[in-house]
């Protein structure tokens, strides 16, 4: 395993690992050097009939029961001449690998693996006895649902993959594993159905993952930022979800999922702008209810972006569009306000963002109370003090509610951010400024791609058949083909003959 060579009467060990015998004392010293003399490295030597077997592991990363019952005790009770092949048959660990590289030994030790080596052998054994603390399967926190499964991903990539495989028991479900990070290596798994997902999308995902050069991948959201097409846009380009059923549905539609070890969310791509307004709850409801809820979300987002800028533009430049019956009450409401409409709107929007951020950072019960009481107290006090008008309080509240209707937290945050420059342009140029911002955002969305695919699909390029998967939700018997925007290999969800037969029977 290690190269022993003489230099000034001392023995040194080659880090790359050449298959030569060496002394256990040398191994211990070299491991201590490579782990910076870390005191939690345990190096245990077992002597059996003049046979010396070394067991090295980090005490705080392994499962003590597995170590004692599956490795230490079987080795101590063995009464035969052992080598690395017989040691593999002796210890009771399912995941075993052999290695002759010291670099591999160190990389696995810091991940909770035990290293077993018999003095004089050319190879050692790596046994997975890691004790990765994970929480039990629980309800989803950020994507709450009324209908459908409530279970969510955890920080264990093994459990997360198990959840997906239990939903898709298809032998065509393919899993590719990558190790990312030069210092802290993280396991990343790419999941797709081989006869549905387009090969070009799979290759693009694979290429971008393998080209990443970074010291550590902290979370799946960080990985999504590293592989996205445009890093400077406010709009997210990959869906991150904690729901296994949403991941399952996306895989069956021809998309690709990424799991990152120690991360409770999965990355789904390629994702379009419309995908961020879809909820799995739409699928579990009847088709007309699901369609209604999607339309509500689109209208709410539209109001969230344009309602406050429209108020600023109308009061600054376009009084003529205000109905005469409303003009009097509006004038009375603003009679005591000393600020121009643009400053008034920006001030209230900033206060709303402060309340939202404070409520998110405080403990759950305190945060809810803070949001409700703070909103009422600040709103009432602002009107009485003459800082703002009653009508703007209503408009700001509707805009805030509209941004929270999006199922994706990322797209809701993007909507709230882009509202600020639109308000400024409305205060400077009125309706012309609003139209300029609207056209600029539309052109920007047309230029964005996700894995090289159009971000506004199926609106651009227009695909009529995909509207029933994005804007509308049609009955299941009409969802014969998978979304064309995903370029699936197997395009059919329902066999054509059966679909036509069913249609004839219905007629």
């Amino acid at each position: 395993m290690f190269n022993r060579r003489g230099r000034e009467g001392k023995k040194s060990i080659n880090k790359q690992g050449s298959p030569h015998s060496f002394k256990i004392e040398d191994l211990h010293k070299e491991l201590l050097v490579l782990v910076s003399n870390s005191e939690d490295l345990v190096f245990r030597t077992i002597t059996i009939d003049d046979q010396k077997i070394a067991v090295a592991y980090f005490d705080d990363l392994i499962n003590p029961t597995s170590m004692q019952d599956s490795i230490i005790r079987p080795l101590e009770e063995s009464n035969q001449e052992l080598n690395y092949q017989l040691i593999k048959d002796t210890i009771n660990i399912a995941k075993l690998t052999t290695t002759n590289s010291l670099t591999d030994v160190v990389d696995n030790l810091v991940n909770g693996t035990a290293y077993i080596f018999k003095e004089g052998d050319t190879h050692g054994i790596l046994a997975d006895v890691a004790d990765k603390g994970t929480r039990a399967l629980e309800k989803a926190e950020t994507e709450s649902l009324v209908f459908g499964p409530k279970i969510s991903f955890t920080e264990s990539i093994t459990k997360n993959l198990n959840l997906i495989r239990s939903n898709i028991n298809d032998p065509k479900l393919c899993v590719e594993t990558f190790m990312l990070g030069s210092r802290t290596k993280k396991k990343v798994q790419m999941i797709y159905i081989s006869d549905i997902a387009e090969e070009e999308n799979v290759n693009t995902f694979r290429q971008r993952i393998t080209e990443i050069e970074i010291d550590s991948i902290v979370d799946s959201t960080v990985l999504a930022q590293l592989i996205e097409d445009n890093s400077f846009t406010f709009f997210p380009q990959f869906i991150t979800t904690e729901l296994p059923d949403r991941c399952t549905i996306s895989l069956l539609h021809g998309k690709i999922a990424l799991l990152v070890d120690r991360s409770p969310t999965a990355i789904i791509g390629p994702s379009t702008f419309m995908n961020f307004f879809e909820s799995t709850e739409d699928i579990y409801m009847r088709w007309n209810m699901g369609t209604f809820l999607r339309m509500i979300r689109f209208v709410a987002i539209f109001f969230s972006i344009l309602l406050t800028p429209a108020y600023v533009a109308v009061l600054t430049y376009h009084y003529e569009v205000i109905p005469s019956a409303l003009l009097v009450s509006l004038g009375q409401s603003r009679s005591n306000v000393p600020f121009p409409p643009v400053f008034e709107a920006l001030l209230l929007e900033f206060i709303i963002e402060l309340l939202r951020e404070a409520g998110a950072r405080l403990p759950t019960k305190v945060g809810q109370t803070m949001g409700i009481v703070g909103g009422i107290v600040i709103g009432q006090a602002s009107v009485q003090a003459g800082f703002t008008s009653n009508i703007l309080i209503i408009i700001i509240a509707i805009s805030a509610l509209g941004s929270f209707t999006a199922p994706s937290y990322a797209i809701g945050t993007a909507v709230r951010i882009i509202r600020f420059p639109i308000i400024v342009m409305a205060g400077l140029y009125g309706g012309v400024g609003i139209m300029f911002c609207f056209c600029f955002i539309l052109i920007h969305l047309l230029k964005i791609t996700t894995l090289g695919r159009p971000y506004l699909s199926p609106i651009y390029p227009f695909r009529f058949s995909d509207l029933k998967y994005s804007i509308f939700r049609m009955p299941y018997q009409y969802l014969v083909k998978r979304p064309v925007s995903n370029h699936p290999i197997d395009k059919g969800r329902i066999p054509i003959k059966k679909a036509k037969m069913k249609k004839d029977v219905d007629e």
Side-chain angles (χ1 to χ4, degrees):
M1 172 180 181
F2 303 98
N3 184 23
R4 185 174 57 187
R5 50 184 181 174
R7 178 181 293 177
E8 297 180 359
K10 295 183 180 181
K11 296 176 182 178
S12 62
I13 299 173
N14 188 346
K15 295 179 183 180
Q16 296 301 321
S18 299
H20 290 280
S21 61
F22 64 97
K23 295 294 183 181
I24 283 182
E25 292 78 7
D26 296 333
L27 171 64
H28 188 194
K29 293 178 181 178
E30 191 71 15
L31 287 177
L32 283 175
V33 171
L34 293 176
V35 299
S36 302
N37 293 315
S38 182
E39 294 182 357
D40 58 341
L41 176 67
V42 177
F43 194 90
R44 184 170 178 175
T45 303
I46 302 173
T47 304
I48 308 171
D49 297 334
D50 296 330
Q51 303 177 85
K52 286 187 177 181
I53 300 176
V55 181
Y57 55 90
F58 280 102
D59 190 36
D60 53 348
L61 295 180
I62 57 98
N63 187 317
T65 303
S66 299
M67 173 62 67
Q68 181 63 31
D69 296 342
S70 301
I71 296 179
I72 303 298
R73 185 175 300 165
L75 289 176
E76 291 178 340
E77 294 176 354
S78 178
N79 55 5
Q80 59 180 335
E81 183 73 22
L82 296 175
N83 56 32
Y84 72 90
Q85 290 291 355
L86 292 176
I87 291 176
K88 289 177 65 177
D89 298 333
T90 302
I91 60 181
N92 302 317
I93 299 294
K95 190 175 180 181
L96 296 174
T97 56
T98 59
T99 182
N100 63 348
S101 170
L102 188 58
T103 303
D104 291 342
V105 172
V106 175
D107 290 342
N108 283 275
L109 283 176
V110 296
N111 286 317
T113 301
Y115 176 62
I116 305 112
F117 181 77
K118 177 181 174 293
E119 190 174 68
D121 275 356
T122 58
H123 289 71
I125 298 172
L126 297 170
D128 187 4
V129 287
D131 184 17
K132 297 181 178 180
T134 57
R135 57 187 171 92
L137 298 177
E138 299 173 349
K139 277 187 174 183
E141 293 291 336
T142 59
E143 297 177 81
S144 57
L145 299 174
V146 178
F147 298 100
K150 307 297 189 298
I151 197 170
S152 67
F153 287 128
T154 69
E155 286 77 13
S156 171
I157 193 171
T158 305
K159 285 185 179 180
N160 295 343
L161 181 59
N162 189 350
L163 289 172
I164 295 177
R165 282 202 175 274
S166 62
N167 290 335
I168 307 178
N169 53 356
D170 187 348
K172 297 295 185 179
L173 184 68
C174 184
V175 179
E176 296 185 20
T177 303
F178 306 88
M179 298 300 295
L180 297 184
S182 59
R183 286 189 174 271
T184 302
K185 294 188 180 298
K186 281 287 185 73
K187 180 188 291 186
V188 176
Q189 291 182 331
M190 181 172 67
I191 307 169
Y192 58 94
I193 302 177
S194 58
D195 59 346
I196 297 181
E198 189 196 23
E199 186 176 357
E200 183 177 345
N201 290 337
V202 175
N203 291 335
T204 304
F205 251 128
R206 187 185 297 118
Q207 179 184 357
R208 294 188 182 182
I209 293 173
T210 54
E211 288 178 349
I212 293 176
E213 295 182 0
I214 195 171
D215 59 347
S216 175
I217 300 292
V218 181
D219 189 76
S220 58
T221 53
V222 176
L223 178 61
Q225 297 175 57
L226 291 172
I227 62 176
E228 63 187 5
D229 294 35
N230 189 338
S231 299
F232 297 99
T233 180
F234 288 118
F235 296 97
Q237 294 150 62
F238 292 103
I239 290 177
T240 54
T241 180
E242 60 177 350
L243 297 176
D245 55 329
R246 182 165 193 176
C247 192
T248 299
I249 294 169
S250 300
L251 290 173
L252 292 173
H253 284 174
K255 295 182 182 292
I256 303 163
L258 292 180
L259 296 178
V260 179
D261 196 15
R262 317 307 298 170
S263 175
T265 55
I267 303 171
I268 300 175
S271 303
T272 64
F273 181 73
M274 300 299 174
N275 293 148
F276 291 94
F277 299 95
E278 301 169 5
S279 171
T280 54
E281 205 167 36
D282 304 341
I283 299 173
Y284 301 132
M285 287 184 172
R286 292 182 55 81
W287 67 272
N288 39 21
M289 297 179 183
T291 300
F292 175 75
L293 291 179
R294 287 187 182 178
M295 298 305 296
I296 286 290
R297 292 188 202 113
F298 286 122
V299 172
I301 292 297
F302 182 79
F303 279 158
S304 177
I305 295 176
L306 297 181
L307 201 58
T308 307
Y311 170 86
V312 173
V314 166
L315 287 185
T316 307
Y317 296 100
H318 313 293
Y319 274 104
E320 65 276 5
V321 303
I322 304 175
S324 56
L326 182 62
L327 189 59
V328 176
S329 61
L330 186 61
Q332 292 176 349
S333 177
R334 282 195 46 81
S335 59
N336 296 324
V337 179
F339 307 115
V342 60
F343 181 82
E344 178 190 7
L346 289 174
L347 178 63
L348 278 186
E349 287 284 0
F350 182 70
I351 292 174
I352 288 293
E353 289 302 312
L354 284 181
L355 289 173
R356 183 194 64 81
E357 188 66 16
R361 298 291 169 261
L362 290 172
T364 305
K365 294 182 180 180
V366 180
Q368 293 175 352
T369 305
M370 176 68 181
I372 296 173
V373 176
I376 295 174
V377 171
I378 293 177
Q380 186 67 24
S382 298
V383 173
Q384 291 180 354
F387 278 95
T388 184
S389 63
N390 291 321
I391 295 178
L392 182 58
I393 291 287
I394 298 173
I395 291 176
I396 293 293
I398 295 175
S399 298
L401 289 175
S403 65
F404 290 127
T405 59
S408 171
Y409 180 81
I411 198 70
T413 304
V415 167
R416 291 194 297 271
I417 291 175
I418 65 175
R419 193 161 59 220
F420 283 93
I422 298 178
I423 292 174
V424 173
M425 291 296 291
L428 294 176
Y429 304 105
V432 175
I434 295 177
M435 288 305 301
F436 175 82
C437 290
F438 182 79
C439 294
F440 179 83
I441 293 172
L442 182 60
I443 295 172
H444 177 66
L445 291 174
L446 290 172
K447 292 179 63 178
I448 297 177
T449 58
T450 168
L451 288 183
R453 303 298 183 186
Y455 190 61
L456 275 187
S457 180
I459 303 301
Y460 174 82
F462 183 73
R463 293 188 173 93
F464 180 78
S465 61
D466 281 3
L467 294 180
K468 59 180 176 288
Y469 283 103
S470 54
I471 298 179
F472 309 104
R473 222 282 279 158
M474 299 299 291
Y476 279 109
Q477 57 267 33
Y478 294 98
L479 303 178
V480 179
K481 294 184 177 181
R482 306 182 199 279
V484 180
S485 302
N486 298 332
H487 302 274
I489 299 175
D490 181 9
K491 296 179 172 56
R493 297 184 68 247
I494 303 176
I496 301 298
K497 292 182 180 180
K498 291 184 180 180
K500 288 183 178 180
M501 188 181 301
K502 179 175 178 56
K503 186 176 179 181
D504 294 339
V505 171
D506 293 341
E507 291 176 353

